[in-house]
Amino acid sequence: MGKKVAYAGMMIALAFVFGYIENVAIRDVFIPGIKIGLANIVVIVALWKFGNKMAFTVSIIRVVLSGATYGNAYSFVYSVSGGMCALILMIVLKKYTNFSVKGVSVAGAVAHNVAQLLVAVILLGNKWLFVSYLPLLLISGVIMGLVTGVIGTAVMKRMIFSERL
Amino acid sequence: MSDENNKEVKGLKKKEKLLIVAVIVVAVVVMISGTVINAFIPAGKVIITVGNKEYETVSLKENKRIVIENEYGENIIIIKDEQVFMERADCPNKTCVKKGKITKTGQSIVCLPHRLTVTISD
């Protein structure tokens, strides 16, 4: 139990730092508004090495912390909907398919982007956004999902986790 | 078992590739239909929404500088020579300003922190 809490704390801190790096240091390197999703690496590792509950805990606490630090009520709605849709899809795919870390990560990233776009269309009341932003968000989801999936796979190969939790 | 492992070393599984291809196909189809919309429906007006309500509609033919100040912050939208762009915004990420100029039907500039959209419509 104690060890699990320690791991959770460590992963939340790491995810938070990744969120900071993306929000502050490397914002808009590629295309304005498109992010890599570095924090998702931590969520993936949590999901694979510790299970659904841990992944959920890390994801939701990170979103709340980041929201309180950089965002406002509206950006929080986007983060929660994106994060939770991605997580739910990743849990389902991991459980019911033989998808690898990379495949699950791609699906999660795409789900994250589509969910945020849907929320934007609803909150902003502008349905044109769907057509103009969907292609970019789908393709960036595939690319960034592959990037985080490859990094996640590499991290898990090299990391040694204590077997008894 | 070893076969399965080999596949993973090489890269992605068949179903995963299928998922990626499907997503890209959807993206391309939407992109093409968007382009068709752009090409066949002439751009006529600029619709600005704040929150989810329409704030102002301006003809694209007009040259206008629109200043929007509300509880979310300040945005300055420029419509000039049938081009629309965000000149200034005091939002934290400036994604709307970096978006640059839009000219075609269906294109939009979004300022998420200020809940503001600028869309070119027919």
Side-chain angles (χ1 to χ4, degrees):
Chain A
M1 177 65 196
K3 235 178 209 172
K4 213 169 182 176
V5 172
Y7 273 122
M10 195 182 73
M11 287 193 289
I12 291 162
L14 189 58
F16 183 63
V17 169
F18 278 157
Y20 173 82
I21 290 171
E22 268 196 317
N23 275 305
V24 180
I26 57 166
R27 194 164 65 192
D28 301 335
V29 191
F30 308 101
I31 301 163
I34 301 295
K35 290 177 183 172
I36 310 172
L38 290 174
N40 200 40
I41 298 169
V42 183
V43 176
I44 287 167
V45 172
L47 180 61
W48 246 265
K49 295 290 178 187
F50 299 91
N52 300 348
K53 252 190 217 163
M54 182 66 103
F56 179 78
T57 310
V58 171
S59 181
I60 195 81
I61 295 179
R62 182 200 86 83
V63 165
V64 171
L65 281 178
S66 293
T69 316
Y70 321 109
N72 55 32
Y74 295 107
S75 64
F76 184 70
V77 175
Y78 291 103
S79 308
V80 171
S81 54
M84 286 304 109
C85 282
L87 185 63
I88 290 164
L89 186 65
M90 292 200 294
I91 288 172
V92 169
L93 285 178
K94 181 176 176 282
K95 186 161 179 175
Y96 296 105
T97 70
N98 63 348
F99 271 34
S100 70
V101 174
K102 282 171 246 170
V104 170
S105 171
V106 167
V110 171
H112 174 275
N113 287 359
V114 173
Q116 289 202 330
L117 181 58
L118 278 175
V119 171
V121 169
I122 295 164
L123 283 186
L124 301 172
N126 184 340
K127 55 188 183 303
W128 286 102
L129 296 182
F130 210 81
V131 179
S132 48
Y133 284 89
L134 190 65
L136 176 66
L137 287 172
L138 286 178
I139 289 174
S140 68
V142 169
I143 294 168
M144 300 313 179
L146 273 175
V147 170
T148 53
V150 167
I151 297 173
T153 311
V155 166
M156 280 191 270
K157 250 184 218 162
R158 284 164 181 76
M159 253 174 137
I160 299 154
F161 288 92
S162 169
E163 290 301 320
R164 280 189 295 152
L165 288 170
Chain B
M1 188 60 203
S2 69
D3 202 14
E4 184 81 0
N5 283 339
N6 279 341
K7 266 187 209 157
E8 271 203 61
V9 172
K10 271 183 207 157
L12 295 159
K13 289 175 184 158
K14 206 176 166 188
K15 272 186 192 164
E16 295 175 320
K17 282 183 188 159
L18 211 66
L19 170 81
I20 289 174
V21 171
V23 171
I24 292 171
V25 166
V26 172
V28 170
V29 167
V30 175
M31 200 152 64
I32 290 170
S33 47
T35 314
V36 169
I37 292 172
N38 291 345
F40 285 94
I41 306 175
K45 55 182 191 259
V46 181
I47 302 172
I48 299 163
T49 66
V50 177
N52 56 2
K53 289 182 197 79
E54 196 171 312
Y55 177 86
E56 194 175 343
T57 300
V58 189
S59 165
L60 190 61
K61 307 274 185 293
E62 260 179 81
N63 287 341
K64 205 171 176 188
R65 184 171 187 268
I66 300 162
V67 181
I68 297 171
E69 264 192 285
N70 54 28
E71 71 258 45
Y72 309 119
E74 188 194 50
N75 290 74
I76 300 173
I77 302 156
I78 306 285
I79 306 171
K80 195 169 177 254
D81 304 327
E82 301 197 23
Q83 293 180 327
V84 187
F85 62 96
M86 188 76 71
E87 186 187 59
R88 217 186 79 79
D90 59 358
C91 59
N93 57 33
K94 306 273 190 282
T95 302
C96 49
V97 178
K98 287 174 200 148
K99 170 89 181 177
K101 287 173 180 166
I102 57 169
T103 54
K104 294 181 179 124
T105 314
Q107 289 185 321
S108 43
I109 301 170
V110 178
C111 184
L112 278 186
H114 295 171
R115 304 188 70 204
L116 180 128
T117 74
V118 182
T119 307
I120 300 183
S121 178
D122 56 318

